[in-house]
């Protein structure tokens, strides 16, 4: 029985290989029998087969063994890559994932592998029946297929040499399959085996006479290869012969060179010093981040003490030393916080890699053709944020395929390319990450949204006729709101977009929509880099301090009491030709607003083009704050996102502006307010 640490290493590697298979199957489907994609899938399946056999996961080992056999035929060019083959490999990948899930949760039902294994075997058996003479005789010098030659040409460009290795075992060898396996294990770290005669599955069963041949790509010296293989027990002779191919046609060399240029930087950096890494439990990183949070709180307290000393004792020597120490501690805390945050960051590619397969399957199911483009995979985000945004992105992508992209025939009739494009993009913007989901499909029909909003009683017909496009888009985030005429297993029940907004806002993010009829829709999600420490605008109301997350704040205003107007029992103030509805934060919390000649207003973004002004007693300035949960006892309180500890030890509540003002949002239609204001003069 293996310990948890070994199992963890196995699962990490398994996850990586499953992702590699998934990515390269999509390439295979898109570009046909691409040799590099075939090699990557073969290598991944081979690795999983070996490691799962060692760990004792027999079903997984058997499944990947059959995948490997089929892939071996494909990479040798003996079987064509067809949609049926790709679908079967995807099916096998799904079963492989189910086997992985059962390792993670032994209570899950064991997946049935017999059906997909039979399909995998079926391709191989059909091939052998169709061309029994195709299999080369053992030990003969068989010519290489075109695909194998292409692989060798491209490897030569990268500095590899191809060798034909003939291995002979002892005459009385009793475990020929084991010897072949050990030869493979010896060669694997040194290069890549691209062909075996007889095939790998027969070698591992020991189904050969005394010798077998391999075609091997490596940068190693042939003499060293020979001596290494001779160290394997019962291997009595090894012949290593360089393979020299005829000069390849110019166009093939140029094509190979072009592919090489497009190879990712990471792949072309072979030979560079490897990055030294250490595996750290995520929980330890979370604890470290909590400790840094406490340090930030105490740094703020120290800053406050220095301010008090300066006010009380002026520019005293001791006070100056204390100020210097405080500044230095602040600098160190900032650097420590930055480094810990970086350690918790993960590339969003870890999340984005799940989606190409999902989009592909949905498009096939709906009979649509979709080019799914992913950009900015390397953009890094706090792992906790990545965990939260997975579901919202799934909803948006499913909607883009189902509602956004038109069927191919409809697109052609509209003069659009037959294949629709969905773009998933991530990038940095100041101290935030922006993720965009964009399609070039139908766009949002605002008239349908308007009629549906009226039919559901969300707005009266007169008000609906005056709503802007941005205000109409806001309705699609209402629970139960859907303009779909048919309910399918994918969409139409109006469940999804409200969840998208709720989940994003729970982590202090925002989501915006833009759409053009017939040209497509774009959802822009703005997220904080981390959930632990944020910048906030601190305000005071009735002697209490509150924090506005800066992601919600558009600007602050100081307005005179005479500028305030009253429209339909609501206070508003004209701002740069528009109307801003005002809410007293004191009243929202059951208190009494102060009567002063001037009002301090925090203008907040409510999404969907809506904004509001929250009147406070005093603006205290920006500050970095550590978010603390209210705990299970208090639970989730509308309008309150959490709490933080101030420099003087007091607790300040962090405001959730949408939660505070949402119940009154039906009265915030800007156009209506502007017209009412004009009416009252």
């Amino acid at each position: 029985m293996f310990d948890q640490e070994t199992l963890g290493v196995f699962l990490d590697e398994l996850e990586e290989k499953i992702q590699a298979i998934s990515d390269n199957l999509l390439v295979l489907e898109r570009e046909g029998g691409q040799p590099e994609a075939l090699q990557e899938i073969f290598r991944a399946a081979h690795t999983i087969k070996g490691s799962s056999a060692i760990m004792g996961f027999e079903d997984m080992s058997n499944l990947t063994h059959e995948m490997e056999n089929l892939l071996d035929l494909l990479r040798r060019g003996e079987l064509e890559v067809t949609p049926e083959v790709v679908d079967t490999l995807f099916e096998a990948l799904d079963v492989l994932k189910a086997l992985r899930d059962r390792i993670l949760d032994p209570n899950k039902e064991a997946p049935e592998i017999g059906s997909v294994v039979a399909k995998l075997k079926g391709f191989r058996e059909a091939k052998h029946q169709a061309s029994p003479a195709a299999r080369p005789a053992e030990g003969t010098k068989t010519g290489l297929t075109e695909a194998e030659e292409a692989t060798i040409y491209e490897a030569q460009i990268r500095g590899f040499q191809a060798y034909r290795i003939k291995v002979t075992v002892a005459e009385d060898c009793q475990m020929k399959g084991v010897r072949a396996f050990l030869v493979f294990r010896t060669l694997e770290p040194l290069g890549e085996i691209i062909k075996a005669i007889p095939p790998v599955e027969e070698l591992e069963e020991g189904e050969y006479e005394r010798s077998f041949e391999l075609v091997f790509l490596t940068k190693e010296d042939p003499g060293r290869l020979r001596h290494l293989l001779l160290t394997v027990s019962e291997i009595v002779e090894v012949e290593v012969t360089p393979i020299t191919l005829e000069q390849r046609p110019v166009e093939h060399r140029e094509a190979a060179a072009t592919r090489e240029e497009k190879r990712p930087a990471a792949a072309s950096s072979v030979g560079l010093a490897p990055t030294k890494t250490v595996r750290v439990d995520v929980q330890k990183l979370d604890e470290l981040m909590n400790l840094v949070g406490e340090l930030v709180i105490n740094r703020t307290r120290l800053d406050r003490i220095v301010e008090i000393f300066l006010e009380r004792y002026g520019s005293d020597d001791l006070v100056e030393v204390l100020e210097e120490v405080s500044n230095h501690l602040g600098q160190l805390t900032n650097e420590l916080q930055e480094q810990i945050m970086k350690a918790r960051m993960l590339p969003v590619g870890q999340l984005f890699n799940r989606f190409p397969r999902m989009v592909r399957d949905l498009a096939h199911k709906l009979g649509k053709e979709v080019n799914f483009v992913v950009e900015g995979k390397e953009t890094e985000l706090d792992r906790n944020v990545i965990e939260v945004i997975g579901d919202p992105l799934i909803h948006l992508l499913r909607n883009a395929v189902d509602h956004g992209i038109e069927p191919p025939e409809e697109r052609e009739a509209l003069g659009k390319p037959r294949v629709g494009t969905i773009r998933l993009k991530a990038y940095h913007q100041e101290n935030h990450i922006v993720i965009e989901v964009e399609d070039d499909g139908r766009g949002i029909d605002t008239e349908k949204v308007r009629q549906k909003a009226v039919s559901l009683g969300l707005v009266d017909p007169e008000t609906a006729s005056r709503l802007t496009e941005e205000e109409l888009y806001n309705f699609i985030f209402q629970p139960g709101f859907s303009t779909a005429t048919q309910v399918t297993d994918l969409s139409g029940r109006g469940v999804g977009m409200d969840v998208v907004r709720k989940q994003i806002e729970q982590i202090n993010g925002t989501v915006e929509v833009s759409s053009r009829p017939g040209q497509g829709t774009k959802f822009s999600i703005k997220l904080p880099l981390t959930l632990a420490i944020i910048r906030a605008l601190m305000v005071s109301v009735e002697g209490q301090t509150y924090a506005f997350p800066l992601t919600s704040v558009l600007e602050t205003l100081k307005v005179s009491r005479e500028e305030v107007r009253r429209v339909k029992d609501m206070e508003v103030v004209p701002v740069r030709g528009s109307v801003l509805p005002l809410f007293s934060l004191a009243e929202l919390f059951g208190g009494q607003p102060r009567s002063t000649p001037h009002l301090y207003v925090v203008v907040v973004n409510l999404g969907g083009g809506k904004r509001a002004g929250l009147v406070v007693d005093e603006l205290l300035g920006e500050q970095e704050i550590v978010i603390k949960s209210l705990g299970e006892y208090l639970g989730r309180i509308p309008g309150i996102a959490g709490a933080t500890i101030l420099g003087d030890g007091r607790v300040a509540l962090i405001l959730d502006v949408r939660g505070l003002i949402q119940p009154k949002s039906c009265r915030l239609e800007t156009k209506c307010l502007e017209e009412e204001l004009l009416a009252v003069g």
Side-chain angles (χ1 to χ4, degrees):
M1 191 70 184
F2 293 92
D3 57 31
Q4 285 300 311
E5 189 176 351
T6 308
L7 184 61
V9 172
F10 167 74
L11 288 170
D12 285 349
E13 184 185 63
L14 178 60
E15 190 65 39
E16 183 186 319
K17 298 303 175 192
I18 284 176
Q19 189 59 52
I21 294 174
S22 180
D23 291 347
N24 285 287
L25 278 178
L26 290 168
V27 174
L28 207 62
E29 183 176 53
R30 194 170 56 241
E31 301 180 18
Q34 218 255 23
E36 289 183 358
L38 276 171
Q39 284 299 121
E40 288 295 329
I41 302 168
F42 181 85
R43 272 199 293 264
H46 183 71
T47 303
I48 295 173
K49 183 182 80 168
S51 54
S52 59
I54 292 169
M55 296 292 291
F57 300 121
E58 195 176 333
D59 280 352
M60 188 175 284
S61 179
N62 290 338
L63 175 63
T64 45
H65 177 68
E66 288 305 329
M67 289 174 72
E68 189 186 42
N69 290 341
L70 176 58
L71 290 162
D72 195 35
L73 288 176
L74 296 173
R75 69 178 190 156
R76 284 190 285 161
E78 295 178 15
L79 190 68
E80 192 180 348
V81 176
T82 62
E84 293 74 23
V85 168
V86 175
D87 285 345
T88 304
L89 286 170
F90 269 125
E91 191 180 337
L93 181 63
D94 290 338
V95 177
L96 191 59
K97 288 178 181 174
L99 290 168
R100 173 206 58 192
D101 293 345
R102 188 156 190 271
I103 296 172
L104 293 167
D105 181 4
N107 294 323
K108 283 194 173 180
E109 189 178 346
E112 198 273 323
I113 72 164
S115 168
V116 71
V117 164
K119 286 185 184 177
L120 292 166
K121 278 183 176 174
F123 286 107
R124 187 156 51 96
E125 289 165 1
K127 165 65 188 167
H128 286 165
Q129 286 168 8
S131 54
R135 189 188 146 195
E138 183 185 348
T140 59
K141 291 189 177 181
T142 313
L144 298 167
T145 64
E146 190 177 339
E148 289 160 355
E149 286 189 356
T151 304
I152 293 175
Y153 277 123
E154 290 175 18
Q156 285 174 341
I157 291 172
R158 303 203 305 272
F160 286 82
Q161 171 63 50
Y163 293 100
R164 193 183 302 277
I165 300 177
K166 183 177 181 182
V167 180
T168 306
V169 299
E171 192 171 358
D172 57 348
C173 179
Q174 298 297 312
M175 302 175 71
K176 293 192 291 187
V178 174
R179 301 305 159 213
F181 176 75
L182 290 173
V183 167
F184 274 70
R185 289 294 297 267
T186 305
L187 291 175
E188 270 177 357
L190 305 174
E192 187 177 331
I193 299 168
I194 63 167
K195 183 170 187 171
I197 305 170
V200 176
E201 66 272 22
E202 294 183 18
L203 286 176
E204 291 185 351
E205 295 296 328
E207 295 174 2
Y208 61 96
E209 295 297 329
R210 279 195 60 197
S211 62
F212 58 90
E213 285 189 8
L214 304 173
V215 176
F216 186 57
L217 300 176
T218 183
K219 292 181 179 178
E220 288 292 334
D221 179 75
R224 181 166 182 256
L225 292 177
R226 182 173 181 276
H227 288 121
L228 276 174
L229 293 180
L230 284 172
T231 61
V232 177
S233 178
E234 295 187 292
I235 300 295
V236 294
E237 185 51 54
V238 176
E239 296 173 23
V240 182
T241 313
I243 296 176
T244 305
L245 299 178
E246 292 180 0
Q247 189 68 15
R248 206 177 188 196
V250 174
E251 62 273 20
H252 285 192
R253 290 203 305 273
E254 288 176 348
T258 304
R259 281 198 291 274
E260 182 62 19
E261 284 170 8
K262 290 179 180 175
R263 191 178 289 273
S268 61
S269 59
V270 176
L272 295 177
T275 306
K276 292 180 181 176
T277 57
V278 118
R279 292 170 61 86
V280 180
D281 192 320
V282 169
Q283 195 176 351
K284 286 183 181 173
L285 284 179
D286 287 344
E287 288 169 5
L288 210 51
M289 195 64 188
N290 284 336
L291 291 174
V292 171
E294 296 298 322
L295 204 55
V296 170
I297 291 169
N298 283 286
R299 181 198 64 192
T300 312
R301 295 188 68 177
L302 187 59
D303 289 344
R304 180 60 188 150
I305 290 170
V306 171
E307 285 174 16
I308 293 170
F309 271 46
L310 280 170
E311 289 169 8
R312 190 170 297 174
Y313 304 110
S315 184
D316 183 81
D317 288 347
L318 196 58
V319 174
E320 286 182 3
V321 172
L322 184 61
E323 188 179 13
E324 184 184 333
V325 171
S326 172
N327 289 338
H328 188 55
L329 184 63
Q331 188 181 351
L332 291 176
T333 308
N334 284 342
E335 288 178 12
L336 183 61
Q337 179 189 332
E338 190 179 334
Q339 293 303 319
I340 297 294
M341 278 176 61
K342 281 183 182 172
R344 289 163 53 93
M345 294 287 185
L346 290 174
V348 288
Q350 293 205 2
L351 173 66
F352 285 6
N353 286 339
R354 301 181 201 167
F355 301 135
R357 171 73 190 281
M358 182 191 82
V359 171
R360 176 252 184 204
D361 288 351
L362 282 176
H364 278 211
K365 185 173 183 179
L366 297 169
K368 297 184 178 179
E369 296 180 19
V370 177
N371 175 29
F372 184 50
V373 181
V374 180
E375 297 176 8
K377 276 185 178 182
E378 69 287 349
T379 310
E380 291 189 328
L381 198 55
D382 190 296
R383 57 174 293 278
N384 288 340
V385 180
I386 287 181
E387 285 175 5
V388 174
I389 61 170
D391 281 348
L393 288 179
I394 287 173
H395 281 299
L396 294 178
L397 289 169
R398 286 166 68 97
N399 277 353
V401 180
D402 193 13
H403 297 306
I405 301 294
E406 309 92 334
E409 298 74 20
E410 186 180 330
R411 289 182 66 86
E412 284 181 331
L414 291 168
K416 287 180 160 185
R418 182 179 174 83
V419 179
T421 298
I422 297 176
R423 194 176 301 275
L424 177 63
K425 182 179 179 183
Y427 59 90
H428 280 276
Q429 189 180 71
E430 298 170 347
N431 287 325
H432 297 89
I433 295 290
V434 178
I435 297 178
E436 293 176 352
V437 179
E438 184 177 11
D439 68 71
D440 67 347
R442 297 187 177 97
I444 297 174
D445 186 336
T446 49
E447 276 314 305
K448 272 190 178 177
V449 174
R450 199 188 309 271
Q451 290 166 14
K452 191 70 180 181
V454 172
S455 70
L456 291 174
L458 296 173
V459 64
D460 62 77
E462 187 189 345
T463 306
S465 65
R466 292 182 291 181
L467 293 178
T468 64
E469 286 189 347
E470 285 186 331
E471 287 167 339
L472 286 169
Y473 296 151
N474 213 30
F475 286 116
I476 66 175
F477 294 104
Q478 294 285 334
F481 192 94
S482 173
T483 56
T485 51
Q486 256 188 329
V487 175
T488 69
D489 57 339
L490 290 179
S491 58
R493 298 183 189 278
V495 179
M497 294 306 291
D498 61 319
V499 177
V500 167
R501 175 170 273 177
K502 275 181 189 168
Q503 288 187 315
I504 290 170
E505 287 177 351
Q506 277 173 11
I507 55 172
N508 289 318
T510 59
V511 56
E512 298 287 340
V513 193
S514 59
S515 181
R516 301 186 72 176
Q519 296 185 32
T521 304
K522 180 163 78 176
F523 289 87
S524 299
I525 301 170
K526 193 173 181 182
L527 299 165
L529 282 174
T530 177
L531 300 183
I533 299 173
I534 60 169
R535 287 203 67 77
L537 173 66
M538 310 304 289
V539 301
S540 171
V541 175
E542 294 189 308
Q544 297 293 321
T545 304
Y546 296 92
F548 283 89
L550 276 190
T551 49
S552 307
V553 178
L554 296 173
E555 61 179 325
T556 57
L557 302 171
K558 182 181 177 183
V559 298
S560 126
R561 180 70 70 179
E562 287 76 27
E563 295 178 70
V564 178
R565 301 281 189 277
R566 182 163 285 277
V567 177
K568 284 189 172 180
D569 297 329
M570 176 180 283
E571 286 191 331
V572 300
V573 62
V575 178
R576 295 188 288 275
S578 183
V579 172
L580 181 71
L582 297 179
F583 298 88
S584 163
L585 195 56
E587 277 188 324
L588 289 171
F589 286 127
Q592 288 296 322
R594 286 198 308 181
S595 178
T596 54
H598 290 92
L599 299 178
Y600 291 100
V601 180
V602 180
V603 183
V604 294
N605 179 15
L606 299 176
K610 290 183 179 178
R611 58 190 190 136
L614 282 160
V615 180
V616 301
D617 293 347
E618 194 178 352
L619 299 170
L620 302 177
E622 285 184 31
Q623 185 179 316
E624 212 162 47
I625 59 170
V626 179
I627 301 175
K628 298 285 184 186
S629 162
L630 294 178
E632 291 182 5
Y633 181 72
L634 290 175
R636 185 162 180 80
I637 301 173
I640 304 297
T644 188
I645 300 171
L646 302 174
D648 56 8
R650 291 183 301 148
V651 172
L653 295 175
I654 302 169
L655 300 176
D656 167 16
V657 291
R658 181 177 289 276
L660 270 177
I661 303 178
Q662 192 68 32
K664 300 175 184 292
S665 62
C666 58
R667 301 165 62 196
L668 293 178
E669 283 75 22
T670 309
K671 266 196 170 180
C672 302
L673 288 173
E674 284 173 356
E675 288 174 12
E676 293 287 347
L677 185 61
L678 285 173
V680 299

